[in-house]
Amino acid sequence: MPLIVVTTSPRVAPGLLSRRAWQVLEEGPVLTQAAGHPLLPYLAEAGITVEVVTADPAALVRRAQAETVVWLEADEALMRSVGHAALALDEPPLIEVVPGSYDLPGARLLDLVSVMDRLRTGCPWDAKQTHESLVPYLLEEAYEVLETIEEGDRSALREELGDLLLQVVFHARVARDRPDAEGGFDIDDVADAIVAKLVRRHPHVFADVRVEGAEEVSDNWEVIKAAERAAKNAGDAGSVLDGVPMGQPALSLAAQLLRRAERAGAPADLDDSAGDDLGARLFALVRQAQAAGLDPEAELRAAARAYRDRVRAWETRDEGRRTDG
């Protein structure tokens, strides 16, 4: 006779079970050690009796020798003990694990939302944070993600993306404390807004628009964004530069302004970078980089990293000379 272990995901509504799970729950006595298991009310409604017992691996496998036994949920330590107890028998029962529900992609984000909620209500530091006080951390984490990408450190990238994701969830949790009338929202509102935007801006994926390549996708994107700006400004198309964050690093700011203006067909004489002052010369270099298909911010960062490496090498050589001397 088998011992059938039914597992469930805490991130899936407890009434949602696989067909196989419902079948095995009706095949024999159902036992659990979790008196507060969220599935119990649904099983009772279905007429399935669950006996809450103290977990005894040896007794459990002996009982499974004589009859089919269904065990609802089990942690890793208990399953190891059950396995050892079964191997100690001359005729161990078959042990089958039946997943009742699976985590869907993205399910772990629910854990992050739950942890953030506890931190916001249970930690004095987290409880007092505001959007403004969190700004330095948001910038720091974004730059750390950038650094891991530039360094090609893929293992660190996973961790740094988590730190950045925390900032998004943190800001959404702070906003949840405000009434709707004062601009309150939550993480679901954030996700809903970006999903709607992505669907709207990708009609070649979610609608019947046909495109020939990435360049046409980019052109459509700009047309859709222009329509969004016009709708947001009550019929006034506004400026093609609306939405450009002026607080970003100067090189990337200049590059983004140039890209936007060029796409809108701005005349070349608007560019006053022919002067002799430093700002004008730097702006002209940004335009040259754009024309060459280069990202000026990335190019300067690469040069800075190369200079850092040369300085470190010089320090190592100099330290060696001082030691030898």
Side-chain angles (χ1 to χ4, degrees):
M1 292 295 182
L3 168 61
I4 304 176
V5 180
V6 177
T7 62
T8 59
S9 168
R11 304 168 193 87
V12 177
L16 299 177
L17 290 176
S18 65
R19 183 170 180 271
R20 174 62 179 152
W22 279 113
Q23 287 176 332
V24 300
L25 286 166
E26 296 175 343
E27 289 182 4
V30 181
L31 311 178
T32 186
Q33 65 178 344
H37 195 290
L39 190 58
L40 296 186
Y42 297 90
L43 295 179
E45 185 178 346
I48 298 173
T49 301
V50 180
E51 182 183 357
V52 179
V53 300
T54 300
D56 184 338
L60 191 60
V61 294
R62 284 198 302 270
R63 183 172 177 178
Q65 285 181 307
E67 63 177 335
T68 297
V69 178
V70 180
W71 182 265
L72 179 59
E73 209 61 67
D75 58 36
E76 186 176 344
L78 176 60
M79 289 303 298
R80 281 199 300 268
S81 297
V82 167
H84 291 315
L87 292 174
L89 299 176
D90 292 334
E91 297 183 8
L94 173 68
I95 300 177
E96 179 184 1
V97 178
V98 175
S101 56
Y102 302 84
D103 280 351
L104 298 174
R108 292 286 175 160
L109 294 175
L110 298 176
D111 293 347
L112 177 56
V113 172
S114 176
V115 168
M116 188 65 251
D117 189 54
R118 287 198 63 183
L119 291 175
R120 182 67 173 172
T121 56
C123 172
W125 187 89
D126 291 280
K128 74 175 186 178
Q129 298 309 307
T130 65
H131 294 303
E132 292 74 18
S133 68
L134 290 172
V135 165
Y137 305 105
L138 176 63
L139 295 174
E140 178 182 344
E141 301 301 351
Y143 280 122
E144 288 184 0
V145 169
L146 174 60
E147 183 176 4
T148 59
I149 293 174
E150 291 177 340
E151 299 289 343
D153 191 344
R154 297 299 187 246
S155 59
L157 179 59
R158 172 183 174 180
E159 179 180 352
E160 296 302 340
L161 284 173
D163 292 341
L164 183 58
L165 178 60
L166 169 61
Q167 294 305 308
V168 175
V169 175
F170 206 153
H171 278 276
R173 183 58 182 81
V174 170
R176 203 184 91 183
D177 290 334
R178 293 194 302 271
D180 291 347
E182 298 177 14
F185 57 85
D186 60 20
I187 191 64
D188 287 317
D189 296 320
V190 174
D192 180 67
I194 189 59
V195 166
K197 180 184 291 186
L198 289 172
V199 171
R200 185 172 62 249
R201 293 186 180 181
H202 291 80
H204 55 287
V205 176
F206 300 101
D208 55 1
V209 173
R210 298 182 64 85
V211 294
E212 297 301 327
E215 185 174 347
E216 193 170 340
V217 170
S218 181
D219 292 341
N220 287 344
W221 182 282
E222 293 303 322
V223 171
I224 294 169
K225 287 175 64 176
E228 290 173 353
R229 286 194 297 271
K232 185 180 297 185
N233 291 285
D236 179 5
S239 169
V240 70
L241 302 181
D242 289 345
V244 174
M246 299 300 290
Q248 64 183 298
L251 280 179
S252 57
L253 170 62
Q256 188 172 5
L257 290 172
L258 283 169
R259 282 196 303 271
R260 291 278 193 97
E262 289 172 358
R263 285 173 182 169
D269 59 9
L270 295 179
D271 182 359
D272 190 28
S273 60
D276 292 330
D277 62 279
L278 180 60
R281 296 199 303 274
L282 287 172
F283 200 89
L285 286 174
V286 172
R287 179 180 286 281
Q288 291 175 27
Q290 295 275 78
L294 301 174
D295 179 348
E297 182 76 18
E299 293 299 313
L300 183 56
R301 290 180 62 83
R305 289 197 306 275
Y307 178 71
R308 176 202 61 189
D309 294 341
R310 290 194 297 272
V311 170
R312 287 176 174 174
W314 167 78
E315 289 175 326
T316 301
R317 292 194 303 271
D318 190 61
E319 179 65 28
R321 286 194 294 272
R322 287 198 298 268
T323 302
D324 293 341

